[in-house]
């Protein structure tokens, strides 16, 4: 693959930070980064079109999603024979495209004819793709994500200089850089879990850190033992999600940093060359300098939780696993904070977004408030503060910010969707429907927002619109790990609307091929079969759905209708009563949907 080149760039020093680095350090380029949840996003341009990309130090090559390549009208060619991209969700067979011009940092970093792999999913964030090691490995890279910044440079004669220049206490951790990957350079090294050596990859593209099940067992950790719990689904670039578990860990050692009595997520991370991914949560809680020129990684603890143990797409809940660090490391967490204070609205907003990603809502609100004061006409800052207020259970303040954001920028799809969600929470169905209709018209057909819109349309009972948004998303996200969930949703939307039952059946069947026990898809296919008068087959689906989740009101009601038609009046009477006890107005809803006695 063609590498990124920046040899002709004029690198300029613009802050005191550069002068604090040892004299050998060259001036650097500063790349602004905005956290979207726990995804570090960087603004770029391809052939003059602005895009957002995930900073992914765990990827050998940069990639674009298939929908983004389609929207950018980039020509595709097949990848070499037997070339695959391995990720958390399995392997993806990519295509290749070439951007005639690619730029970063407002043109400070630019290159012609840059190749990207194409394929994979967006893993729950609106991004055109990711930036991998075919960029980062050509520089020394400082990841200061808690302050919304990456700095890249090319040091000279720095072989024996500690590059953690910001750490006045000299308590930084350092790890030798060792690439375990067979293809491409990775930011990797060795650590220990409960005294057992493990291979670690620093992977900013992973929303949360994860240790493999095999490595955990080698370290004497039982994934299902005392103190363990489900961690929800774990997603990546591949086509499927994987199970994750949360387990207690006695001690994790990383380059001299020791974290004791903590919790770690387990997942089959998909990289045969690595035992653990240190994800964006670790990057947010640390300042990291990857000295590719020295084959070393330097890092210091920033403060707050090291590992985010919320389910991967959860909007709220505590990001648990605050560390128990050694006293010098804990004391050093605040060193240099004043020096890192934001200087403008953008910097305050980026730091606020990082705090939001860490779940530190008071800090996020304070920084986003300051950003708004400095740039009152920015809809983006108001939108993010509105999200922070909503997560902080302050709906009135959240609504005021979202109203103001939409007024400033009526075409802001994110603000429209966030306001629709907030209006739904307040039972303002008409207002929510208005925002959904506006967002539906504004979002591109390839947009990841289509999946969110589909789910929200189901909540307002607009099943036809939900189905069309599911269809649009499914058409352009065939490699995405969330496809199974989307197919189950499309199945349900079709079952409730009653339109195009063959298409609904196809979605149901596709969802159940991926997970034969999916209760939503089973319930949905049962309702579709009920509409098609396939009563015996409908009962089979309802039985399976209820075996998985006994209190599915629609499965109970649908089974009652099918039983009534096939002569099982007593069983039907019991199921009608059970359905009504769970959902008292289900009979009225069923009549509106053409599903009645």
């Amino acid at each position: 693959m063609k590498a990124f080149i920046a040899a002709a760039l004029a690198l300029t020093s613009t802050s005191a930070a550069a002068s604090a680095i040892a004299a050998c350090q060259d001036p650097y380029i500063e790349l602004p980064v905005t956290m979207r949840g726990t995804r570090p996003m960087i603004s770029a341009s391809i052939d003059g079109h602005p895009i957002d990309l995930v900073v992914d130090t765990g990827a050998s090559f940069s990639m674009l999603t298939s929908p983004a390549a389609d929207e950018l009208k980039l020509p595709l060619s097949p990848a070499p024979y037997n070339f695959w991209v391995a990720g958390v969700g399995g392997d993806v067979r990519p295509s290749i495209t070439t951007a005639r011009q690619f730029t970063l940092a407002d043109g400070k970093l630019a290159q012609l004819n840059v190749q990207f792999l194409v394929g994979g999913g967006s893993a729950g964030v609106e991004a055109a793709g990711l930036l991998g090691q075919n960029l980062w490995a050509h520089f020394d890279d400082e990841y200061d994500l808690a302050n919304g910044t990456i700095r890249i440079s090319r040091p000279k004669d720095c072989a024996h200089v500690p590059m953690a220049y910001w750490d006045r206490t000299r308590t930084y951790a350092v790890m030798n850089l060792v690439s375990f990957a067979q293809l491409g350079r990775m930011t990797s090294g060795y650590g220990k879990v409960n005294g057992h050596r493990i291979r670690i990859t620093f992977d900013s593209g992973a929303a949360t850190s994860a240790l493999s099940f095999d490595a955990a067992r080698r370290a004497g950790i039982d994934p299902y033992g005392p103190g363990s719990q489900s961690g929800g689904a774990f997603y990546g670039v591949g086509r499927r999600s994987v199970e994750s578990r949360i387990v207690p860990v006695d001690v994790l050692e990383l380059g001299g940093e020791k974290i004791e009595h903590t919790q770690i997520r387990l997942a089959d991370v998909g990289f045969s060359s690595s035992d653990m991914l240190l994800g964006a949560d670790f990057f947010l809680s640390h300042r990291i300098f990857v000295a590719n020129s020295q084959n070393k990684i330097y890092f210091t603890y920033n403060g707050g939780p090291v590992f985010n143990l919320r389910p991967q797409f959860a909007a709220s809940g505590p990001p648990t696993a605050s560390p128990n660090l050694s006293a010098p490391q804990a004391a050093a967490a605040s060193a240099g904070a004043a020096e890192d204070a934001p200087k403008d609205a953008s910097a305050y907003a980026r730091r606020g977004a990082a705090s939001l990603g860490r779940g530190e809502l008071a800090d996020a609100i304070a920084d986003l408030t300051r950003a708004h004061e400095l740039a009152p006409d920015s809809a983006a800052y108001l939108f993010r503060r509105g999200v922070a207020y909503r997560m902080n259970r302050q709906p009135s303040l959240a609504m005021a910010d979202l109203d103001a954001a939409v007024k400033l920028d009526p075409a802001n799809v994110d603000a429209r969707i966030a306001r629709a969600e907030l209006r739904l929470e307040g039972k303002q169905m008409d207002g929510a429907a208005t925002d959904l209709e506006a967002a539906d018209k504004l979002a591109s057909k390839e947009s990841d927002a289509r999946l969110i819109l589909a789910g929200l349309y189901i909540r307002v009972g607009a099943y036809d619109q939900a189905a069309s948004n599911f269809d649009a998303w499914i058409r352009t996200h065939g490699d995405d790990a969330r496809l199974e969930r989307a197919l189950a949703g499309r199945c349900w939307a079709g079952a409730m609307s009653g339109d195009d039952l063959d298409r609904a059946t196809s979605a149901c069947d596709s969802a159940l091929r991926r997970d034969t026990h999916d209760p939503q898809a089973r319930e949905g296919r049962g309702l579709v079969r009920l509409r098609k008068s396939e009563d015996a087959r409908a009962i089979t689906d309802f039985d399976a759905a209820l075996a998985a989740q006994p209190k599915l009101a629609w499965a109970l009601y649908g089974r009652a209708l099918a039983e009534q038609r096939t002569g099982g009046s007593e069983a039907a009477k019991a199921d009608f009563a059970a359905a009504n006890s769970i959902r008292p107005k289900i009979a009225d809803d069923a009549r509106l949907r053409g599903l009645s006695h």
Side-chain angles (χ1 to χ4, degrees), residues 148-160:
T149 300
I150 294 174
R151 302 175 184 93
I152 58 175
S153 60
R154 283 181 166 165
K156 298 176 182 177
D157 303 321
C158 284
H160 304 292

Side-chain angles (χ1 to χ4, degrees), residues 190-198 200 211 215-216 218-221 247-264 266 276 278 282 306-307 322-326 329:
Y190 287 102
K192 289 183 179 180
V193 169
N194 292 352
H196 293 261
R197 195 186 202 199
I198 58 171
I200 290 170
L211 177 71
R218 292 199 306 269
I221 299 169
V247 297
V249 171
D250 290 336
V251 59
L252 175 65
E253 298 175 75
L254 303 168
E257 180 176 290
K258 185 178 289 188
I259 307 171
E260 298 179 312
H261 310 302
T262 187
Q263 292 176 297
I264 290 178
L266 303 185
M276 185 176 190
L278 293 178
F282 187 87
V306 172
F307 300 123
S322 293
N324 185 3
L325 294 168
S326 66
Q329 290 165 335

Side-chain angles (χ1 to χ4, degrees), residues 99-400:
R100 292 186 297 275
Q101 184 177 57
F102 178 80
T103 62
L104 283 171
D106 294 327
K108 294 186 181 72
L109 184 63
Q111 177 63 26
L112 301 177
N113 299 320
V114 175
Q115 287 186 319
F116 286 84
L117 301 178
V118 177
S122 58
V125 67
E126 189 77 63
L130 55 88
L131 276 178
Q133 287 293 344
N134 57 323
L135 170 65
W136 309 118
H138 287 273
F139 300 94
D140 276 13
D141 311 309
E142 180 191 343
Y143 298 95
D144 187 11
L145 297 192
N147 288 303
T149 300
I150 294 174
R151 302 175 184 93
I152 58 175
S153 60
R154 283 181 166 165
K156 298 176 182 177
D157 303 321
C158 284
H160 304 292
V161 177
M163 302 304 282
Y165 63 89
W166 62 88
D167 181 17
R168 297 174 179 173
T169 65
R170 308 286 288 180
T171 57
Y172 58 82
V174 61
M175 186 184 295
N176 290 326
L177 183 61
V178 181
S179 184
F180 306 117
Q182 295 179 349
L183 182 65
R185 184 181 179 88
M186 304 295 285
T187 303
S188 307
Y190 287 102
K192 289 183 179 180
V193 169
N194 292 352
H196 293 261
R197 195 186 202 199
I198 58 171
R199 298 167 299 177
I200 290 170
T201 295
F202 287 71
D203 185 0
S204 62
T208 59
S209 301
L211 177 71
S212 74
F213 280 84
D214 285 345
R217 292 187 178 100
R218 292 199 306 269
I221 299 169
D222 182 354
Y224 301 92
S228 69
Q229 58 185 296
S230 172
F234 195 77
Y235 295 82
V237 72
R239 296 169 183 255
R240 60 183 176 87
S241 62
V242 297
E243 175 196 17
S244 77
R245 301 285 299 173
I246 307 298
V247 297
V249 171
D250 290 336
V251 59
L252 175 65
E253 298 175 75
L254 303 168
E257 180 176 290
K258 185 178 289 188
I259 307 171
E260 298 179 312
H261 310 302
T262 187
Q263 292 176 297
I264 290 178
R265 184 186 304 276
L266 303 185
D268 285 326
V269 296
F271 292 166
S272 60
S273 60
S274 188
D275 297 314
M276 185 176 190
L277 302 182
L278 293 178
D281 50 355
F282 187 87
F283 277 72
L284 280 170
S285 61
H286 291 77
R287 189 161 175 174
I288 301 169
F289 195 107
V290 180
N292 286 305
S293 61
Q294 296 181 350
N295 287 322
K296 291 183 183 294
I297 312 165
Y298 300 84
F299 50 96
T300 59
Y301 172 59
N302 284 334
V306 172
F307 300 123
N308 184 344
L309 302 182
R310 292 192 300 251
Q312 194 161 348
F313 296 125
S316 61
T320 52
S322 293
N324 185 3
L325 294 168
S326 66
Q329 290 165 335
S334 60
E339 212 172 89
D340 294 330
K343 304 298 190 294
D344 56 28
S346 176
Y348 273 107
R350 297 198 309 274
R351 192 173 73 173
S355 295
L356 189 59
R358 289 157 60 125
E360 297 171 346
L361 301 179
D363 291 342
I365 290 167
D367 276 341
L368 290 165
T369 296
R370 183 58 179 147
H372 172 60
E373 290 169 351
L374 294 171
D377 293 334
S378 171
Y381 303 162
L382 284 164
F383 158 67
R384 290 195 191 99
R385 192 175 67 173
V387 171
Y389 277 135
R390 180 186 173 206
M391 291 175 64
N392 206 39
R393 304 180 189 278
Q394 296 174 277
S396 296
L397 293 173
M399 185 62 77

